[in-house]
C-alpha cells in the first residue's frame, strides 16, 4: 500500500510517479524494474525484519513483512550498484541503511533518553512534532537550505549503526538520534526519518527534497 501523499509529492515536484509491486528477488525482474525508472523512493511502512540486520526480533518490533523486506532490499542493492538516484523516507531510510549493512534500534525505548514524541499517532500525522538539526556541508543542507527544521514524525525505530559509506546528515535537536543519512560520493542518495511528503504544500524545504530527486532522475 502506498499513500497518495507520496505520489502527489512526486507530481508536485514535476516527476511522474510509478508504483512497483512487490515481486520477489529474481535479479532479472529487479533489473527490468530498474530499467523502467529514473529514480526510486523507498517509502514508509512497517518495521524491517531484524533478521535482515542479524538481530532477534524484540517484542516491541512489529510483525515483519518478509516479502516486502526482501524485494526492497534486492531493489535497493541493485539500485545502489547502478548508482540510480534514491530517496528514502521513514521506513525507507531504515531499509536503505539495513540494505547497505547498517543496523536499527527496534524501539524508541531501546535507547535511554530518546523522546517518545517521535512516534506520533495517526491523528497527528501532519503535525510538526519535533525539531531536527541539519548538519552543515551535507547534501541535505544544500537541498533544504536551512540549518534546522520542524518535522512530522511517525516512527518508533531508528538508526543504530549508520551503514558503511553512509553518514548522518541530520539529528533530532533534543535527543540526538539520527534523522537523515546520505552517501556523499554518490550521485543522489538521501534519506530522512521524517515525512516530507506530508509537508510539501506548506514547507518549501521539504518540497525541495522531491525536486532534487526529480532533477537527479532527469540527468
Ligand atoms: Mn523523529
Amino acid at each position: 500500500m502506498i499513500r497518495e501523499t507520496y505520489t502527489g509529492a512526486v507530481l508536485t515536484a514535476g516527476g511522474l510517479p510509478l508504483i512497483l509491486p512487490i515481486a520477489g528477488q529474481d535479479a532479472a525482474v529487479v533489473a527490468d524494474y530498474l530499467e523502467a525508472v529514473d529514480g526510486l523512493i523507498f517509502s514508509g511502512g512497517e518495521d524491517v525484519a531484524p533478521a535482515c540486520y542479524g538481530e532477534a526480533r524484540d517484542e516491541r518490533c512489529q510483525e515483519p513483512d518478509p516479502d516486502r523486506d526482501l524485494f526492497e532490499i534486492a531493489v535497493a542493492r541493485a539500485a545502489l550498484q547502478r548508482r540510480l538516484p534514491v530517496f528514502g523516507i521513514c521506513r525507507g531510510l531504515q531499509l536503505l541503511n539495513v540494505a547497505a549493512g547498517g543496523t536499527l534500534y527496534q524501539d524508541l525505548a531501546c535507547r535511554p533518553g530518546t523522546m517518545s514524541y517521535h512516534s506520533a499517532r495517526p491523528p497527528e500525522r501532519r503535525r510538526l512534532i519535533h525539531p531536527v538539526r541539519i548538519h552543515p556541508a551535507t547534501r541535505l543542507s544544500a537541498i533544504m537550505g536551512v540549518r534546522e527544521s520542524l518535522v512530522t514524525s511517525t516512527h518508533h525505530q531508528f538508526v543504530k549503526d549508520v551503514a558503511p559509506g553512509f553518514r548522518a546528515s541530520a539529528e533530532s535537536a533534543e535527543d540526538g538520534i539520527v534523522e537523515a543519512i546520505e552517501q556523499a560520493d554518490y550521485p543522489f542518495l538521501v534519506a530522512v526519518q521524517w515525512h516530507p511528503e506530508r509537508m510539501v504544500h506548506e514547507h518549501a524545504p521539504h518540497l525541495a527534497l522531491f525536486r532534487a530527486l526529480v532533477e537527479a532522475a532527469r540527468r
Side-chain angles (χ1 to χ4, degrees):
M1 201 257 306
I2 183 88
R3 284 179 192 278
E4 205 181 5
T5 43
Y6 291 95
T7 51
V10 172
L11 283 166
T12 302
L16 182 66
L18 298 173
I19 297 169
L20 303 188
I22 294 166
Q25 300 173 75
D26 185 315
V29 173
V30 168
D32 283 347
Y33 270 135
L34 296 184
E35 280 299 317
V37 299
D38 299 315
L40 290 166
I41 292 177
F42 288 86
S43 61
E46 55 280 278
D47 295 341
V48 177
C52 297
Y53 47 95
E55 287 189 13
R57 186 160 77 89
D58 184 291
E59 59 183 9
R60 290 165 293 197
C61 179
Q62 294 163 359
E63 191 73 45
D65 177 347
D67 290 342
R68 181 174 178 185
D69 287 343
L70 294 174
F71 174 64
E72 288 190 349
I73 286 173
V75 170
R77 288 181 178 157
L80 296 185
Q81 263 175 10
R82 286 160 180 255
R83 300 178 78 75
L84 267 182
V86 169
F87 183 27
I89 295 174
C90 199
R91 166 196 158 89
L93 172 147
Q94 298 167 2
L95 189 284
L96 289 166
N97 192 54
V98 167
T103 63
L104 306 176
Y105 285 106
Q106 293 188 38
D107 188 71
L108 296 172
C110 295
R111 175 182 171 277
T114 302
M115 308 295 280
S116 59
Y117 56 40
H118 293 284
S119 179
R121 301 327 313 157
E124 301 200 299
R125 276 179 185 280
R126 287 176 175 277
R127 201 162 77 75
L128 299 174
I129 295 287
H130 71 77
V132 298
R133 265 196 296 270
I134 294 155
H135 299 320
T138 57
R139 188 180 295 266
L140 187 72
S141 75
I143 294 168
M144 293 183 70
V146 293
R147 303 284 291 276
E148 188 160 314
S149 179
L150 279 165
V151 297
T152 57
S153 190
T154 316
H155 65 101
H156 81 114
Q157 299 201 329
F158 55 107
V159 169
K160 189 194 286 176
D161 299 306
V162 175
F166 287 35
R167 65 180 180 193
S169 52
E171 63 180 20
S172 54
E174 285 164 314
D175 55 15
I177 74 166
V178 172
E179 285 280 346
I181 55 175
E182 61 184 42
Q183 199 175 333
D185 61 350
Y186 187 100
F188 186 94
L189 196 161
V190 174
V192 298
Q193 185 57 72
W194 64 88
H195 283 278
E197 81 282 3
R198 300 178 192 158
M199 305 157 70
V200 293
H201 298 295
E202 299 93 359
H203 303 281
H206 298 278
L207 175 58
L209 288 163
F210 289 91
R211 287 225 166 100
L213 171 69
V214 170
E215 247 171 62
R218 246 185 216 127
R219 286 196 291 268

